């Protein structure tokens, strides 16, 4: 009996030690959409961003569209409406060619709740970008503007760590000095020397900007290109530019005699089913590029707007192989206040205003 009691005591002690040594894994705090997919016969590609999902579809029609999305979310998180539930996408009040639905994600620990706007976007022949509508992003000690149209991105998030709460000081914002309504304002500002970035050029581009590690490879932060199922013809618009006074190189050394210039361009390139984009390393050199529209360098255009019109120049061999049924394509449109800003060269104070931009496409694919 005494021996049996000792076994029971030892067993209880072992359980207690085991229990003390085992800690419950804390519940996940993330509330994010990881992937979003609808019927393949409808969806061409998808872009998941911070608080939004853009689903590029083959066509849209009628006062609304219904779909049954399959959605992956952060570990342990819940989503409403649920994955696999039929949802009605209502026609957008701001762009009647698009359809919108809203989702709410709640983290596993119940403390984080995030709203997502999901937009179904069809192909259209001619695009107009007025840059009239902007939203204020406020996170901690940072406040900056972002275009309301989430197909457009800026590098504002990269400088938020030191720029503070005055949105007008950020590289990208808006101005009322416009052809009509508002215009995009891009300016080259002081960078973060502690991170090896002497300047931060203002940029606005079709794509996504992601800073997983602020001290990582900064040329990979810019994910250039949105899904595009048409053959672009011409990029047109209006701009105003004035270069800053002192041009510096990537080591923050002044370069005598060198003058900053803005850069406006577009790149049409072949992607893949995984949604491959281009970045600061290969936006001009990738072998995926099918066509380019490049505006010549401009240093100063005065205090009034100047129109521009840039045709797309195609690689003949790749143009002959364009196939919108079996291949995937993306288009990047880029505006920057310093042409060499991607390698952190330029002049603080360089300012580019852009307004009323149109993208024309060929009638037949």
């Amino acid at each position: 009996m005494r021996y049996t009691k000792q076994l029971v005591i030892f067993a209880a002690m072992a359980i207690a030690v085991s229990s003390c040594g085992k800690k419950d894994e804390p519940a996940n705090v993330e509330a994010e959409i990881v992937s979003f997919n609808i019927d393949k016969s409808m969806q061409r590609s998808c872009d998941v961003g911070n608080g939004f999902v853009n689903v590029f579809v083959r066509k849209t029609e009628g006062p609304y569209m219904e779909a049954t999305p399959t959605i992956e979310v952060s570990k342990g998180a819940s989503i409403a409406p649920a994955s696999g539930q039929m949802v009605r996408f209502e026609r957008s009040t701001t762009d009647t060619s698009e359809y919108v639905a809203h989702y709410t994600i709640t983290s596993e620990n119940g403390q984080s709740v995030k709203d997502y706007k999901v937009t179904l976007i069809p192909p259209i022949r001619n695009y107009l970008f007025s840059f009239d509508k902007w939203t204020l992003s406020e996170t901690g000690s940072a406040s900056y503007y972002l275009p309301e149209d989430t197909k457009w991105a800026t590098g504002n998030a990269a400088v938020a760590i030191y720029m503070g709460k005055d949105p007008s000081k950020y590289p990208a914002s808006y101005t009322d000095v416009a052809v009509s309504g508002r215009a995009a304002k891009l300016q080259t500002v002081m960078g973060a020397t502690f991170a090896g970035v002497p300047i931060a050029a203002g940029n606005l581009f079709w794509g996504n900007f992601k800073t997983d590690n602020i001290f990582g490879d900064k040329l990979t932060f810019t994910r250039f290109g949105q899904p595009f199922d048409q053959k672009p013809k011409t990029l047109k618009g209006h701009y105003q530019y004035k270069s800053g006074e002192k041009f510096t190189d990537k080591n923050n050394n002044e370069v005598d005699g060198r003058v900053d210039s803005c850069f406006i361009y577009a790149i049409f390139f072949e992607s893949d089913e995984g949604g491959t984009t281009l970045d600061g390393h290969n936006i001009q050199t990738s072998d995926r590029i099918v066509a380019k529209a490049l505006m010549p360098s401009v240093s100063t255009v005065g205090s009034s707007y100047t129109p521009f019109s840039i045709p797309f120049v195609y690689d003949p061999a790749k143009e002959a192989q364009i196939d919108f049924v079996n291949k995937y394509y993306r288009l990047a449109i880029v505006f920057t206040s310093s042409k060499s800003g991607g390698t952190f060269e330029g002049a603080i104070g360089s300012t580019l205003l852009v307004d009323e931009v149109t993208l024309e496409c060929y009638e037949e694919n």
Side-chain angles (χ1 to χ4, degrees):
M1 179 67 68
R2 182 179 177 183
Y3 178 70
T4 302
K5 287 182 179 180
Q6 288 177 335
L7 286 178
V8 172
I9 292 172
F10 288 147
M13 290 175 63
I15 293 173
V17 170
S18 176
S19 299
C20 290
K22 181 180 180 181
K23 295 182 180 179
D24 293 334
E25 185 178 343
N28 193 11
V29 300
E30 295 180 344
E32 308 286 344
I33 289 180
V34 177
S35 66
F36 192 101
N37 292 284
I38 58 177
D39 192 299
K40 283 190 174 182
S41 64
M42 184 187 303
Q43 178 173 318
R44 180 63 173 162
S45 54
C46 181
D47 181 24
V48 179
N50 183 21
F52 69 88
V53 178
N54 290 329
V55 183
F56 295 84
V57 296
R58 300 179 191 281
K59 64 178 181 177
T60 57
E61 57 187 16
Y64 64 87
M65 291 186 66
E66 292 184 331
T68 307
T70 301
I71 310 167
E72 181 185 355
V73 297
S74 305
K75 175 181 173 294
S78 60
I79 183 169
S83 175
Q85 178 178 336
M86 179 173 285
V87 173
R88 175 179 288 192
F89 289 77
E90 302 289 350
R91 190 184 292 275
S92 171
T93 57
T94 56
D95 187 337
T96 56
S97 69
E98 300 178 350
Y99 294 76
V100 175
H102 293 271
Y103 285 79
T104 301
I105 320 295
T106 304
S107 64
E108 186 178 33
N109 69 356
Q111 296 180 9
S112 298
V113 179
K114 192 168 188 177
D115 294 322
Y116 272 80
K117 177 183 178 182
V118 180
T119 306
L120 306 185
I121 303 172
I124 59 176
R125 290 297 173 198
N126 298 308
Y127 296 75
L128 170 63
F129 309 112
S130 63
F131 305 123
D132 286 342
K133 297 181 179 181
W134 297 72
T135 59
L136 185 64
S137 175
E138 296 187 274
T139 55
S141 61
S143 296
Y144 53 86
Y145 288 113
L146 293 172
E148 186 177 280
D149 183 348
T150 54
K151 291 187 289 296
W152 291 95
T154 77
N156 280 346
V159 301
I161 190 173
Y162 65 88
M163 191 60 72
K165 296 185 73 69
D166 184 350
S168 67
K169 293 182 178 180
Y170 278 74
S173 61
Y174 69 83
T175 176
D176 293 328
V177 179
V179 175
S180 176
R182 292 172 172 171
K185 179 181 179 180
L186 309 175
Q187 56 186 345
T188 301
V189 301
M190 184 178 296
T193 54
F194 64 86
V197 181
I199 66 161
N203 59 27
L204 177 66
F205 61 94
W206 247 20
N208 249 317
F209 188 86
K210 295 187 178 181
T211 55
D212 299 330
N213 176 9
I214 193 65
F215 294 101
D217 184 352
K218 297 167 184 61
L219 293 182
T220 65
F221 293 173
T222 44
R223 318 286 174 86
F224 292 112
Q226 293 288 5
F228 205 71
D229 285 356
Q230 296 160 86
K231 188 177 174 184
K233 180 180 181 181
T234 311
L235 183 68
K236 298 180 178 181
H238 300 79
Y239 76 110
Q240 183 180 143
Y241 184 69
K242 184 176 181 180
S243 58
E245 294 182 0
K246 185 174 71 172
F247 190 100
T248 56
D249 63 18
K250 62 183 179 180
N251 297 313
N252 205 27
N253 297 316
E254 185 174 353
V255 182
D256 291 334
R258 187 168 176 183
V259 181
D260 204 1
S261 66
C262 64
F263 199 21
I264 296 174
Y265 65 96
I267 304 293
F268 178 57
F269 62 96
E270 186 174 341
S271 182
D272 51 36
E273 191 172 3
T276 292
T277 56
L278 302 184
D279 59 29
H281 288 290
N282 60 4
I283 184 61
Q284 295 289 342
T285 60
S286 173
D287 59 7
R288 292 179 175 271
I289 295 174
V290 179
K292 294 181 179 182
L294 308 177
M295 192 177 82
S297 298
V298 174
S299 296
T300 301
V301 293
S303 58
S304 60
Y305 277 89
T306 299
F308 67 86
S309 179
I310 319 169
F312 281 81
V313 179
Y314 282 78
D315 177 307
K318 292 180 180 179
E319 182 180 19
Q321 297 176 1
I322 291 176
D323 180 355
F324 291 111
V325 175
N326 300 300
K327 295 181 180 180
Y328 297 83
Y329 296 88
R330 288 188 174 237
L331 177 68
I333 305 171
V334 186
F335 307 101
T336 180
S337 57
S338 291
K339 185 173 183 178
S340 299
T343 53
F344 313 113
E345 296 184 323
I348 292 174
S350 293
T351 303
L352 170 65
L353 310 184
V354 182
D355 198 16
E356 299 301 304
V357 173
T358 59
L359 172 67
E360 297 177 348
C361 300
Y362 287 98
E363 287 299 323
E364 64 278 349
N365 291 335

